Every structure is written in C-alpha cells, then in structure tokens.
Amino acid sequence: MSNLEKQEAKLKALNQKIKDEKNKIEQRLGKQIISQANLDYANLSNDQIKLLAKQFSEFLKVKSVDH
C-alpha cells in the first residue's frame, strides 16, 4: 500500500468518525428535546418533526439576536 493510499484510508476513517460523532450529537439533542418537551413519540410524524425543528431553529435565531 502506498503512502498516498494509507493517507486516503486514514482520511476516510477520520471522516467516518466525524460523521458518527455528529449522528450521536443529533440523536442526543433530539432525545433531550423530546424528553424535556414531554413529546409523545407516537405522535411525531415527519411533518411534525420538521415543523418543530423549524420552530426551534427560529427560536434559537431570535435568542442569538437578543444577545
């Protein structure tokens, strides 16, 4: 295996590690929001999830402007 191939393999592994970590953070964030807002998993359709995400992001945007 050439040095370039080794570097490409390391880069690929690192990119996968970053992707996995992002997924973990997204899952934990979603779980905390669902838990703290007392949302019912059974009532969360894709459309409702998108709406909640939009409302949450708008709330955060307003909060960041306030500071």
Side-chain angles (χ1 to χ4, degrees), residues 10-53:
K10 284 181 182 180
L11 180 60
K12 188 175 182 179
L14 184 58
N15 282 334
Q16 185 61 48
K17 196 172 181 180
I18 291 168
K19 184 178 177 182
D20 291 346
E21 192 60 32
K22 284 181 178 180
N23 284 336
K24 285 182 198 174
I25 292 167
E26 289 171 356
Q27 289 174 353
R28 288 195 308 257
L29 176 62
K31 189 173 183 176
Q32 284 298 313
I33 291 169
I34 290 167
S35 172
Q36 293 190 24
N38 293 320
L39 299 173
D40 184 359
Y41 284 94
N43 295 328
L44 289 176
S45 68
N46 272 346
D47 287 341
Q48 288 171 316
I49 290 170
K50 287 178 184 177
L51 177 62
L52 286 169

